[in-house]
Amino acid sequence: MATPYDLFGTPGYEQLLAVLGGAEEALARYERAGRLSDLERALVLFDALLTRAENIDLRSAAMNGIGMVLWSRYERFGEPTDLDGAITLFREALAAYGAEVTVATPSYWANLSGALRLRWLRTHDARDLGASVDAVRTALVSTPSRGVLRSNRLNSLGDALLNLFRLHGDSSALAEALSSFREAVACTEPGTDEGLWARSSLAEALRHHHHWSPDGAPEALDEAAALAREVLAGVSRRHRLYPRFLSNLALVLTDRHTARSDPADLREAARAARRAVAATPAGHPNLVQRNAVLAAVRRLELVGATGRRAAGAAGPGAAGTAEDLGAGARRRPPRRERRALRAWIRATGEAYAATPEGHVLRGLALLHHGSALAAKAVAEGDARAREAAVALYRRAARDPAMDVSVRVACARLWALSVLDGDGSSPAYGRAAAMEPYRLAVELLPRTASYRVGRMDRARQLGDFAGLACDAAACALDLADARPPATEPAGADAAEAESADAGPARTGPAETAPAQTDTAGAGLALRLLEQGRGVLLGQALDARAETSEQLRRIPVELAAEWDRLLTQLDRPEAAVYTSSEPGGTHEPTAEDPLTGEDRNALAGRWERLVETVRRVPGCEDFLRLPRTDEMLAGIGDTGPVVVVNVSPLRCDALVLHRGRVRSLRLEGLCHADAERRAEAFLAAIRATGDHALPLSGQRDAQTEVRQTLGWLWTAVAGPVLDALATWGWPGEGSTGEPGRLWWVPTGPLTALPLHAAGRPEDGGDSLLDRAVCSYAPTVSSLVHARRREAGRAAPDGPEPTAPLVVAVAEAPDSGSPPLEGVRQEATLLARRPGARLLLAEDAVRRSVLEALPRHPWAHFACHAVGALSGAASGHLVLHDHVTAPLTLSDIARLRLPDAELAYLSACETTSGRREFADEALHITGAFHMTGFTHVVGTLWAVADDTSPMVADRFYAAFDASHPFPGHTAHALHEAVREIRENVEGVRENPSLWAPYIHVGP
């Protein structure tokens, strides 16, 4: 048998080893100087080595080397087959070793990871990104704990995780990326290429951290800017990464200018962005990103020239609202503005032209160029620019390969761009806007995938706040413009038929309220239900009605459903990487759920839903109920009023007696509602601010009373008048006030509709006319009613034992002691079987363990509403500093036996403005987790009033079984009694109006 030419230690081996060294040196020269001749020389030598070598190590080194050459050639010329070939060669180099680890295999894994990540940018194939993470982790296992190699590979891992964050919006991936980059920086010496690379990557991650943090993390931008400048100062202009570092600095400074409006930041960003593009050769893959950065700079220069926000959006989530219509009223712009506009259009056009089909940034390039053209259309009255913008938006919105957030943003901009029209052209006007609005609302729930945690889903939905309300307003406007018998454009015929079911119930012609045809109202309702309360709808998917549907499918599918939801409801970990990748350990319900595990479980869940929908009879599994199903589900116990607030128009959609009607609220407008809600909340804070003089507190109470009066005039009064015309008696069979449910939207979610009126002057008051409750959505109300109807009435002697959680004074809370808490605890301690968690016993773990055992829970403590900044709504228990009981903790629970939660705490129903339509507050979390009835508060309640309300509330019930059925009546009567009978309360609505009931 002949001896192999390249057997280790032979002259042939040494000769081929020298060829390998020459090839690697040629490749290194190319990376230093960028001379194409060096790259071609490296390819010739690596190829010669592969042709001659039989030795596994030499052959694998040659395949890895050719892969590196092809990678460099792809970066130089952008030919996709070069990158595909590189990935194939890296995998072949590794395949020769199987599971064996050698000195060289970690480098091959790291190279494979980088190439896969680069291909993901072009193809947006998530499988490449996941494989990239796995490959670099494999490399890190065999990498020394310090030094250049570890820094490079940590940097690669951080980059892969950062791209996962960009893909899914997963904050756990961003947090781990930041950690990886910081460790990479710590592994290197300042001034080295590896140290510069790691610092540049860390700056980019800090920039994203600024965007994703609830409080904006202002210190992150300063650190990022310092790092980006340090990196740029450490390299020569001939360095191959100099353009990248310039572009990164421009991005950071652009964001800091947006946050702080410092013109110096924008000037420096513009210089850096221009130089980055100029230094990047045509066809280079990274020219896409650098053109996009320059376009972002040009947009901000236009904003500075105009002094307004009409220049369009920087990202998919800031795509504008209907209120922006008219913001750029047509006028001849000054020369500086025209010059800035032309520069922006040119930059976005170049970015669009440089971004190939399928590239991860293609959608944003379409969006940004469309926004630039739309700005030209508004500023100069250019019809052709408007048509071109609409064409770009339409193309992106209809493309299923685009990122779903970009599609929603483009559909919304498409709708806004065509809204302005008199209907003479089919391309413009309300009818033309309905297609993109319906598409945007249909796609919106997909932006909130189970692949990310609950708060990440909320942030992505918050980017499109008000979208469903605008779509519903457009549908109602369109219906107003059509003959009464005509179905609105695009409306489902069956939906229109169900909405019209039943005889009309109207009074005399001269008193009948102005209303939209019922088919238009039905479409508006469906749009609101589809585009609001998405997170709540996801939670309800796992409840009783879903279980009923699962009984009709094979047992193994139902079992998989239960397993997946149990795992997806685990508490969320702050990291992305699973501690046991590929392990056999079956996690418990309390094991933290990493981002990696959640992503895998979500993929299984999505496939399972599609499988279930293929089962006969389950085609509509987890789909939105039809309008007729919603109408049947709410029954005839009282009207349900959805108040839609949009800059286009404001309406009440009234569901009553099997019909849905709409009432135009002429006295309500979006801008006024926003202003009044802001002033009202400021006044509420002032009423309890004892640092203010008494005159200031009195003025604040006056503002509160005026707002309640406005709510009566603008909303409650017209609705009650219309209901009287439509046959609602307004009272029960025994003369008590009738039941009425409110589903407010937008700014009205922060206001007490149930308290509308002027009772202090002896005027009308809704509290005297109706027993009011609230629901986040109509679907949630239908769900709650089904739960209540399906629950058997207690028939045994065993009492319903309440869980009582009372914390009068929590350590380090900064809040005054609550004497009223002790009174409430004493009151409820007398209930049979009461479980008391008081003071130091009231800790997060004990409460979470006790909640599933008690259908009735009463909380008396401080609470923090998620109003703004970094605050996440939570109840202030004894261990709130180290383990706060957050709304996410509560919302992830599944409590099938839960009935009543009484939250005697401050502002449990307050939330951030962008989450107004998602019920993302403590009250909403208890409702989401399964409590049929929830008593909550809209703002901080008085310590002396709360025990009185609780005492009168529970006095209305049987001692053993205080619910269900009369919860709303009990709260209504308790509030009325203290308003009428307690001195000083009636004229101070901040004391009696915060209490609300959510449920059937």
Side-chain angles (χ1 to χ4, degrees), residues 281-316:
H284 192 288
N286 291 335
L287 185 61
V288 172
Q289 290 94 325
R290 290 162 201 168
N291 272 317
V293 174
L294 180 58
V297 170
R298 296 305 190 201
R299 182 186 69 86
L300 289 177
E301 288 177 335
L302 176 60
V303 171
T306 60
R308 51 184 169 83
R309 292 183 62 251

Side-chain angles (χ1 to χ4, degrees), residues 598-957:
R598 182 176 53 243
N599 191 45
L601 289 167
R604 288 168 56 191
W605 180 83
E606 290 165 2
R607 292 189 293 272
L608 179 61
V609 170
E610 293 305 314
T611 301
V612 171
R613 286 176 178 169
R614 289 194 290 270
V615 175
C618 292
E619 296 82 3
D620 291 332
F621 183 67
L622 300 190
R623 299 192 195 278
L624 185 70
R626 293 166 54 89
T627 304
D628 55 350
E629 293 172 335
M630 285 188 277
L631 288 166
I634 63 171
D636 291 326
T637 52
V640 177
V641 183
V642 183
V643 186
N644 188 51
V645 183
S646 164
L648 298 178
R649 57 183 281 163
C650 298
D651 299 83
L653 299 176
V654 181
L655 288 70
H656 184 46
R657 294 181 176 176
R659 296 189 66 181
V660 52
R661 297 180 174 91
S662 72
L663 170 69
R664 183 94 181 238
L665 297 174
E666 302 288 356
L668 179 65
C669 77
H670 183 272
D672 193 28
E674 289 272 16
R675 181 187 62 78
R676 286 184 178 273
E678 186 175 342
F680 177 83
L681 293 175
I684 284 293
R685 290 189 291 270
T687 61
D689 185 354
H690 299 297
L692 288 176
L694 288 177
S695 60
Q697 296 179 49
R698 284 194 297 269
D699 290 343
Q701 288 288 3
T702 299
E703 177 68 32
V704 171
R705 289 193 296 270
Q706 289 174 347
T707 302
L708 299 187
W710 168 78
L711 283 172
W712 175 267
T713 302
V715 183
V719 167
L720 289 184
D721 290 344
L723 283 171
T725 303
W726 292 333
W728 182 57
E731 61 183 26
S733 56
T734 59
E736 75 279 6
R739 294 285 279 117
L740 183 62
W741 281 264
W742 294 102
V743 183
T745 68
L748 288 192
T749 57
L751 298 177
L753 278 167
H754 65 284
R758 299 180 179 84
E760 69 283 351
D761 300 326
D764 289 311
S765 171
L766 187 55
L767 195 66
D768 298 323
R769 299 274 297 273
V771 177
C772 291
S773 296
Y774 291 84
T777 63
V778 175
S779 299
S780 69
L781 179 59
V782 170
H783 173 84
R785 286 187 174 171
R786 286 176 181 165
R787 279 172 54 88
E788 189 168 70
R791 182 177 291 123
D795 54 2
E798 190 68 24
T800 302
L803 170 66
V804 182
V805 181
V807 182
E809 187 174 7
D812 302 318
S813 69
S815 301
L818 300 172
E819 293 301 324
V821 164
R822 298 182 175 88
Q823 299 176 43
E824 291 183 47
T826 301
L827 166 71
L828 289 158
R830 297 195 292 266
R831 292 277 173 172
R835 166 78 188 281
L836 303 180
L837 291 175
L838 309 178
E840 63 272 10
D841 293 329
V843 295
R844 176 181 178 273
R845 181 169 182 173
S846 297
V847 171
L848 290 175
E849 288 176 349
L851 275 171
R853 304 188 185 100
H854 297 272
W856 168 21
H858 184 100
F859 287 80
C861 57
H862 282 294
V864 176
L867 280 172
S868 62
S872 175
H874 64 275
L875 293 166
V876 182
L877 304 182
H878 186 76
D879 60 343
H880 70 100
V881 174
T882 57
L885 181 63
T886 66
L887 63 89
S888 293
D889 291 326
I890 299 160
R892 74 176 180 83
L893 299 175
R894 296 172 65 190
L895 305 178
D897 299 321
E899 295 188 37
L900 170 65
Y902 190 114
L903 309 178
S904 185
C906 296
E907 54 189 32
T908 65
T909 318
S910 66
R912 292 175 60 180
R913 175 180 173 182
E914 63 267 34
F915 301 152
D917 290 335
E918 285 302 313
L920 204 65
H921 42 64
I922 299 169
T923 299
F926 274 92
H927 191 55
M928 187 182 295
T929 205
F931 281 94
T932 308
H933 299 273
V934 184
V935 174
T937 58
L938 286 170
W939 58 82
V941 293
D943 188 32
D944 53 350
T945 306
S946 290
M948 291 188 285
V949 174
D951 185 21
R952 288 157 175 79
F953 174 80
Y954 288 117
F957 297 112

Side-chain angles (χ1 to χ4, degrees), residues 280-368:
T280 305
H284 192 288
N286 291 335
L287 185 61
V288 172
Q289 290 94 325
R290 290 162 201 168
N291 272 317
V293 174
L294 180 58
V297 170
R298 296 305 190 201
R299 182 186 69 86
L300 289 177
E301 288 177 335
L302 176 60
V303 171
T306 60
R308 51 184 169 83
R309 292 183 62 251
T321 68
E323 200 151 29
D324 293 333
L325 291 176
R330 190 172 302 168
R331 56 181 174 77
R332 177 161 178 80
R335 180 179 300 175
R336 176 169 172 251
E337 182 179 335
R338 293 199 303 273
R339 191 164 53 244
L341 178 57
R342 286 195 298 271
W344 184 33
I345 293 172
R346 184 169 56 252
T348 58
E350 290 171 355
Y352 171 51
T355 310
E357 293 283 354
H359 193 282
V360 67
L361 295 178
R362 177 71 173 180
L364 283 175
L366 281 162
L367 187 154
H368 292 155

